[in-house]
Structure formats: structure tokens, C-alpha cells
């Protein structure tokens, strides 16, 4: 139902209620680029059974005995390359996205953001929203494509936090938006704008999505299908635009980790193969990321460039995520407004 004005008796103490919260949630980031901060972040992230689907009795000795003693130093070098005076790009951009739409839905709606792993936590933000009188909260996982390791773990954590509350707010969750027209049109407009501003004309555009182990697909996770559907629908929208005339589109998966078989084709292998077979001008888009992060700013933009150029390529560019672009903010506003229907 829509919000009702409080009708309290004259002798009733003030009650904070009747407000609506909107919480944008992204994956997470270390508090700093140093190995200690990265280790703390990786310990939380890689201990989630949704992320690593290996029995704890087998996985925790590997995590604590090997990975947390080796990977933080390597990962901290990657974070150091992208860290800014405002801190983590992912946290900074997500905060800016929340700020960009704050106030769009009326003074009774509070918009904020959280990280699934790291700070600010979901627990912290839900507590702050309820303290502000938000008895209805819209949870917005910033993952266009559904995956148990991302979308579902947000639900898990929200449920865990609410399990400790006596007075629980009513909840709504923004569903996956991989085939949403607002999202696809925003991507098409923003990617066209960026490609139109390049100093070269691309021959190939890779649409690189974050990878997942192959077994997640075999177990029924829809992520792989959602990625390919996004890529197909986006390709259809871009094919008729002059900026993409003659461009060949490829869909790939990045960020492989560990010895397991991952979704293919791999982005790094594809970049090398394209350079070796004579592709000279290539761009990469990352439509599965709502905000730029270490995977786009370091893995794609720095490591990917080196791989492509060393293999024989010449011109290379990684296009920005939607971030706080005009198209991205308009899409986010439209999506949130639709999901708040009946509350505002």
C-alpha cells in the first residue's frame, strides 16, 4: 500500500516509521589496496559457500593455508594500479550512483548503497535505514545477470540480518535485468557514444562477462544463459548503428580462478587469438558490470591491452561501464521507480 500519514494519539511518543529505503548493492572491495586489507576482503568473499561451492572441511584449509598467504600480495598490486584519492573506484561509483538518484522519488524515500563484502556492509546500511524510519526497503542487487554467487548471496545476507531484527521492514528485490529494454537501450546509447569518440574504428568488440566455473551451468545456474541473451539483444541494437558498421561481436568470459573448468571462451585467450590472426583494432565492453572495478580497470584495461598488443594488435580500448553516465542514471531511475510502484 502507499504510505499513510501517522495518526498517533497526543500522548504517544514519536515513532520513526513510514519512510521507504532503496539500497543499491554491489559485490565489494577492500578498504585499501594494501595486502592486509585485501586479505581481510578475500577471506570474507572466498568463505561464502555461494562463491566457492566446495565443502568447508576441504576448502578452508586451502583458503587459510595457501590462498590467503599468497593471493593478497598479488591482488594488492592490481588494486594499487586503480586506487584513487577517493578510494576504491567500485565503492566510489556505487556511492555516486546512489547520490545521482537520491531525491528523485520524493522526500520520503532514502537512497543508499552497500557492499556485499567489505564496507559499508549490508548489515550496517539496513540498520541505518530502519533507524531513519524505513519500514519498506527495496533491495537492488547491481547485477544485470542472475548468478547464485552474486544475486543469491545478497538475498542470503539480507535474510541473515533480518533474522536478528524484532521489527522487520517489508522487502522488495529488484529482479535480474539482463533483458530489460531500459538496460539494453542505455547500454546501446552509451556504448555508441563512446565508440563514436574513439580515434580508431574497431573491427571487433568483445562483450566480456565475469566468468564462473562450468559446473555452475551444469547445476542449473542461469548466469551463462543470461549473459548470452544480453549479448544477443545488445548486438541486435548495435548492429544498425553507424558506429558499429562492419564490427564483429564476440562474447567472452574473464577472471578465471583456480584449476576448475570455467565458462568459455576466455577473454584473455580471445584477445591473444585476435591479435595473432590479424585483428588490429579492438574494443571491449563489460555489460555485466554496473560499475567499473578492478576487473575492468586493471584486468581488461591494463592486462588485456598488453595481451592484445603483444599478440600483434594495434588499437585497443576498454569502454566504460554505465557508471554515472546520463544513460546509466536514467536507466537506474526508471528501474527503481518501476519497482517502487505502489509504495510511492
Amino acid at each position: 500500500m502507499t504510505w499513510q500519514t501517522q495518526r498517533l494519539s497526543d500522548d504517544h511518543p514519536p515513532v520513526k516509521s513510514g519512510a521507504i529505503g532503496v539500497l543499491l548493492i554491489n559485490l565489494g572491495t577492500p578498504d585499501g589496496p594494501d595486502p592486509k586489507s585485501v586479505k581481510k576482503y578475500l577471506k570474507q568473499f572466498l568463505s561464502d559457500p555461494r562463491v566457492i561451492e566446495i565443502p568447508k572441511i576441504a576448502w578452508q584449509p586451502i583458503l587459510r593455508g595457501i590462498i590467503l598467504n599468497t593471493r593478497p600480495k598479488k591482488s594488492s598490486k592490481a588494486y594499487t594500479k586503480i586506487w584513487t584519492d577517493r578510494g576504491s573506484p567500485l565503492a566510489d561509483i556505487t556511492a555516486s550512483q546512489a547520490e545521482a538518484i537520491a531525491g528523485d522519488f520524493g522526500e520520503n524515500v532514502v537512497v543508499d548503497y552497500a557492499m556485499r563484502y567489505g564496507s559499508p556492509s549490508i548489515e550496517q546500511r539496513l540498520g541505518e535505514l530502519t533507524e531513519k524510519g524505513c519500514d519498506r526497503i527495496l533491495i537492488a542487487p547491481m547485477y544485470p545477470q542472475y548468478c547464485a554467487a552474486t544475486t543469491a548471496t545478497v538475498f542470503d545476507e539480507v535474510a541473515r540480518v533480518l533474522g536478528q531484527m524484532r521489527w522487520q521492514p517489508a522487502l522488495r528485490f529488484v529482479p535480474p535485468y539482463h533483458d530489460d529494454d531500459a538496460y539494453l537501450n542505455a547500454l546501446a546509447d552509451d556504448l555508441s557514444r563512446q565508440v563514436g569518440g574513439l580515434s580508431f574504428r574497431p573491427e571487433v568488440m568483445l562483450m566480456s562477462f565475469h566468468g564462473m566455473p562450468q559446473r555452475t551451468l551444469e547445476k542449473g545456474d542461469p548466469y551463462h544463459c543470461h549473459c548470452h541473451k544480453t549479448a544477443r539483444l545488445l548486438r541486435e541494437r548495435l548492429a544498425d548503428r553507424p558506429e558499429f558498421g562492419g564490427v564483429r561481436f564476440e562474447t567472452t568470459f574473464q577472471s578465471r580462478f583456480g584449476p576448475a573448468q570455467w565458462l568459455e571462451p576466455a577473454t584473455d585467450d580471445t584477445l591473444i587469438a585476435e591479435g595473432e590472426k590479424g585483428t588490429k583494432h579492438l574494443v571491449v565492453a563489460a555489460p555485466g558490470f554496473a560499475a567499473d572495478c578492478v576487473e575492468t580497470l586493471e584486468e581488461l584495461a591494463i592486462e588485456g591491452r598488453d595481451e592484445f598488443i603483444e599478440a600483434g594488435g594495434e588499437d585497443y580500448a576498454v569502454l566504460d561501464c554505465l557508471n554515472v553516465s546520463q544513460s546509466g542514471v536514467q536507466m537506474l531511475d526508471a528501474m527503481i521507480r518501476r519497482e517502487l510502484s505502489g509504495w510511492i
Side-chain angles (χ1 to χ4, degrees):
M1 68 178 192
T2 53
W3 180 75
Q4 301 293 311
T5 302
Q6 292 284 355
R7 295 188 289 270
L8 303 175
S9 61
D10 293 339
D11 60 348
H12 197 289
V15 176
K16 288 185 178 180
S17 65
I20 297 166
V22 175
L23 191 61
L24 310 183
I25 300 177
N26 216 314
L27 187 73
T29 176
D31 293 329
D34 57 285
K36 183 178 180 180
S37 297
V38 173
K39 181 176 182 178
K40 178 183 177 183
Y41 167 73
L42 288 178
K43 181 179 179 182
Q44 183 186 16
F45 174 50
L46 296 177
S47 292
D48 190 329
R50 291 275 196 185
V51 175
I52 304 295
E53 297 183 272
I54 299 174
K56 286 185 178 181
I57 193 170
W59 171 243
Q60 283 297 319
I62 298 172
L63 175 63
R64 295 170 184 267
I66 301 175
I67 294 174
L68 292 180
N69 291 317
T70 56
R71 191 168 180 83
K73 185 176 181 180
K74 177 182 178 182
S75 295
S76 69
K77 293 179 180 178
Y79 280 106
T80 298
K81 294 176 185 177
I82 67 163
W83 216 257
T84 73
D85 56 0
R86 296 185 302 275
S88 161
L90 177 64
D92 180 43
I93 293 169
T94 308
S96 296
Q97 289 171 327
E99 183 179 353
I101 62 171
D104 288 0
F105 314 107
E107 62 182 15
N108 197 47
V109 179
V110 182
V111 181
D112 213 332
Y113 79 101
M115 297 286 122
R116 173 59 185 91
Y117 311 101
S119 300
S121 68
I122 292 174
E123 183 170 18
Q124 174 189 337
R125 289 304 203 222
L126 285 177
E128 292 170 353
L129 288 174
T130 54
E131 281 294 315
K132 293 176 181 178
C134 296
D135 48 25
R136 286 161 292 172
I137 299 176
L138 174 65
I139 304 295
M142 301 297 285
Y143 312 119
Q145 296 78 26
Y146 177 95
C147 183
T150 54
T151 318
T153 192
V154 168
F155 183 92
D156 292 345
E157 179 63 7
V158 170
R160 185 194 69 81
V161 173
L162 262 65
Q164 302 172 356
M165 291 184 178
R166 178 170 293 277
W167 187 358
Q168 296 176 333
L171 286 183
R172 290 181 180 176
F173 277 78
V174 173
Y177 51 98
H178 63 287
D179 58 354
D180 191 299
D181 284 337
Y183 160 67
L184 293 164
N185 291 335
L187 280 175
D189 290 343
D190 196 58
L191 294 176
S192 297
R193 174 187 63 81
Q194 293 186 63
V195 169
L198 294 175
S199 61
F200 66 93
R201 191 172 185 85
E203 303 165 66
V204 177
M205 184 170 88
L206 298 192
M207 290 181 277
S208 181
F209 295 86
H210 199 289
M212 287 298 295
Q214 176 69 22
R215 65 176 177 273
T216 62
L217 172 60
E218 296 165 357
K219 289 183 176 182
D221 198 304
Y223 178 72
H224 179 263
C225 300
H226 282 191
C227 291
H228 276 284
K229 188 174 185 181
T230 293
R232 173 175 59 83
L233 295 174
L234 179 58
R235 184 171 63 247
E236 292 173 357
R237 281 168 168 77
L238 294 177
D240 295 332
R241 301 202 177 203
E243 297 87 354
F244 291 90
V247 173
R248 172 165 50 87
F249 299 91
E250 301 290 345
T251 302
T252 62
F253 296 90
Q254 64 184 87
S255 309
R256 290 177 292 181
F257 172 74
Q261 178 67 38
W262 282 57
L263 298 177
E264 293 183 339
T267 299
D268 52 359
D269 289 346
T270 303
L271 287 172
I272 294 170
E274 288 291 342
E276 290 178 343
K277 71 183 183 182
T279 300
K280 299 300 181 183
H281 316 294
L282 183 145
V283 295
V284 182
F289 296 88
D292 276 304
C293 52
V294 69
E295 286 85 0
T296 63
L297 298 173
E298 196 277 335
E299 182 182 353
L300 292 180
I302 299 177
E303 291 186 11
R305 172 183 293 276
D306 291 344
E307 290 163 345
F308 180 64
I309 300 301
E310 289 174 7
E314 294 179 0
D315 293 315
Y316 178 87
V318 174
L319 306 177
D320 295 339
C321 297
L322 284 174
N323 296 338
V324 285
S325 64
Q326 181 179 0
S327 298
V329 172
Q330 289 175 347
M331 179 275 294
L332 189 58
D333 182 285
M335 182 172 66
I336 296 299
R337 186 176 303 277
R338 180 181 62 206
E339 297 303 324
L340 287 174
S341 177
W343 281 2
I344 59 173

